[in-house]
Amino acid sequence: MERKIGTVSRGVRCPIIREGDDIGKIVVDSVIEASEAEGFALRDRDVVAVTESVVARAQGNYASVEAIATDVKAKLGGETVGVIFPILSRNRFAICLRGIAMGAKKIVLMLNYPSDEVGNALVSLDLLDEAGINPYSDVLSEAKYRELFGENRHPFTGVDYVKYYGDLIRSCGAEAEIVLANDPRVILRYTENVLNCDIHSRERTKRILRAAGAKRVVGLDEILNAPINGSGYNSKYGLLGSNKSTEDKVKLFPNECFDLVEDMQKQFLERTGKNIEVMVYGDGAFKDPVGKIWELADPIVSPAYTKGLEGTPNELKLKYLADNDYADLKGEELKKAIEAAIREKDGNLVGSMASQGTTPRRLTDLIGSLCDLTSGSGDKGTPIVLVQGYFDNLTD
């Protein structure tokens, strides 16, 4: 019988993961048990994805705010530190800011506007236009920002982040000064010691600051990129991708875990006879059309994946074929013609008109985004996602 279902994404429940747990065995056990309980078969090229949160938890990759403070003080001098371009997040950055403030006497906090890097707004573009403010060149003090725009609360969280971050810095015993600007060189008017906290533009920011004569430039990816007094760390991303664990502790992005995904793939093959792809995923890469927030606050969607997930899709656009190459066909004849085109398609369709409109993104970004939407970040209890049929096409 012809298959009638294409891609299926299933959230898989598993035990609550604790530090030291054998995460690989738990994932493999949970997926196999789910297939037996729900009555579906595992197939070659299925994808099993595990959220980075439980991987890091199993690794015990945590650090205290005291460890952050120690590293910040050692790398930036402990006096006046410019902290620029952080995202506006209680979960993602506030706990890091607590440690940063504990490692300095004064923090000059420079915020992007009208929104942060991932789309959290401090003020709307319409209000900027009304006030005659050019965000590319104009620098706003906190007082000027308040004079022009008053209080602006986040539409989802209800938090006034200018006030929240300022109060947080002062609660840690440091002096706080807040400015709004988008040119990183502006911070050098206040201090030569800069901690840039942007995620995806961080290398450009560092380059600009160093060329402008900054004394010390350290990225958030360079804080806790090595253990501090036995703390957790991430050698590649530092504090990027971290989340609040408690009021005094962060969970870091998982450390090197390619060995983990390859081991899980091996376990699946031994126990099921199927070649299953495995990946670790974090935030998906998509934008909310209402709140204008781009989800990707992690430095990368997938920090580890098996080799079969490398590359980008190589797909034909069915509606293009139907409307152009086979516009004179219909019904079963049309279906057979399109199936033949799929079977005979070139191994690399880049630049082909027949592939226009297909998504030119990496497989790990596409599948990781699907998994992030499937598992969510709340109480679903499904940190494992099984994706089936992703690599199928109309001929399968």
Side-chain angles (χ1 to χ4, degrees), residues 168-344:
L168 189 154
I169 292 167
R170 286 182 281 269
S171 74
C172 296
E175 183 182 348
E177 182 173 358
I178 299 176
V179 294
L180 282 69
N182 291 307
D183 182 344
R185 292 168 294 190
V186 169
I187 196 65
L188 300 181
R189 302 175 190 175
Y190 303 86
T191 177
E192 295 178 323
N193 302 308
V194 185
L195 176 62
N196 68 294
C197 302
D198 44 342
I199 305 164
H200 307 291
S201 56
R202 60 188 182 275
E203 294 305 326
R204 176 177 182 268
T205 300
K206 291 176 189 178
R207 173 176 56 79
I208 290 171
L209 286 168
R210 287 168 181 151
K215 182 179 179 181
R216 295 185 181 98
V217 181
V218 177
L220 207 61
D221 57 325
E222 298 169 274
I223 301 297
L224 291 189
N225 60 354
I228 299 295
N229 300 322
S231 74
Y233 68 101
N234 187 291
S235 57
K236 189 171 184 179
Y237 298 117
L239 281 176
L240 292 179
S242 64
N243 296 85
K244 179 179 179 179
S245 174
T246 70
E247 293 301 324
D248 300 302
K249 187 167 66 173
V250 295
K251 178 202 67 61
L252 298 162
F253 211 50
N255 256 315
E256 175 61 49
C257 44
F258 275 93
D259 287 347
L260 172 65
V261 296
E262 290 173 354
D263 177 67
M264 284 192 280
Q265 185 177 55
K266 182 180 177 181
Q267 289 188 54
F268 276 119
L269 183 61
E270 290 172 350
R271 294 179 60 180
T272 69
K274 303 301 181 183
N275 183 29
I276 292 175
E277 306 294 348
V278 183
M279 65 184 289
V280 176
Y281 70 96
D283 274 348
F286 44 82
K287 186 173 182 177
D288 168 27
V290 176
K292 311 301 181 187
I293 298 169
W294 182 36
E295 178 71 8
L296 187 54
D298 285 327
I300 192 170
V301 173
S302 177
Y305 47 86
T306 49
K307 291 181 180 178
L309 296 176
E310 293 176 349
T312 58
N314 190 58
E315 300 172 346
L316 294 170
K317 196 75 169 180
L318 298 192
K319 66 182 181 182
Y320 179 88
L321 295 176
D323 292 345
N324 291 271
D325 296 42
Y326 309 119
D328 57 334
L329 303 180
K330 61 181 179 180
E332 189 64 20
E333 191 178 8
L334 173 60
K335 182 174 182 289
K336 287 181 178 179
I338 288 179
E339 287 179 347
I342 292 172
R343 291 191 186 98
E344 297 165 8

Side-chain angles (χ1 to χ4, degrees), residues 7 23 54 62 97 140 152 162 169 191 210 215 217 240 281 301 304 328 332-333 363-364 366 375 385:
T7 302
I23 184 70
V54 297
Y62 295 90
L97 182 58
L140 305 179
N152 288 277
V162 172
I169 292 167
T191 177
R210 287 168 181 151
K215 182 179 179 181
V217 181
L240 292 179
Y281 70 96
V301 173
D328 57 334
E332 189 64 20
E333 191 178 8
L363 290 167
T364 50
L366 291 164
S375 63
V385 177

Side-chain angles (χ1 to χ4, degrees), residues 4-22:
K4 295 296 184 181
I5 300 296
T7 302
V8 175
S9 176
R10 291 181 173 94
V12 177
R13 292 176 179 171
C14 73
I16 303 298
I17 306 299
R18 293 294 190 188
E19 181 177 346
D21 285 349
D22 186 343

Side-chain angles (χ1 to χ4, degrees), residues 34-146:
S35 72
E36 294 170 348
E38 301 296 330
F40 59 84
L42 297 175
R43 301 195 294 263
D44 286 327
R45 296 223 76 188
D46 285 353
V47 180
V48 170
V50 189
T51 180
E52 59 82 20
S53 178
V54 297
V55 175
R57 194 183 306 156
Q59 290 178 344
N61 204 18
Y62 295 90
S64 67
V65 292
E66 287 81 7
I68 296 173
T70 298
D71 210 16
V72 168
K73 188 173 183 178
K75 290 174 177 173
L76 288 156
E79 297 294 325
T80 299
V81 175
V83 176
I84 71 170
F85 304 158
I87 62 172
L88 307 176
S89 171
R90 293 169 298 175
N91 174 48
R92 288 285 190 173
F93 186 71
I95 187 71
C96 296
L97 182 58
R98 185 182 301 279
I100 294 164
M102 290 166 58
K105 291 181 180 178
K106 179 178 179 179
I107 297 294
V108 181
L109 182 66
M110 194 169 91
L111 303 173
N112 300 97
Y113 78 101
S115 65
D116 70 7
E117 181 182 3
V118 296
N120 295 291
L122 287 173
V123 60
S124 72
L125 280 169
D126 290 333
L127 287 175
L128 289 184
D129 291 342
E130 289 177 16
I133 296 297
N134 182 347
Y136 296 102
S137 59
D138 292 344
V139 178
L140 305 179
S141 65
E142 183 178 2
K144 187 65 175 178
Y145 167 74
R146 293 300 189 194

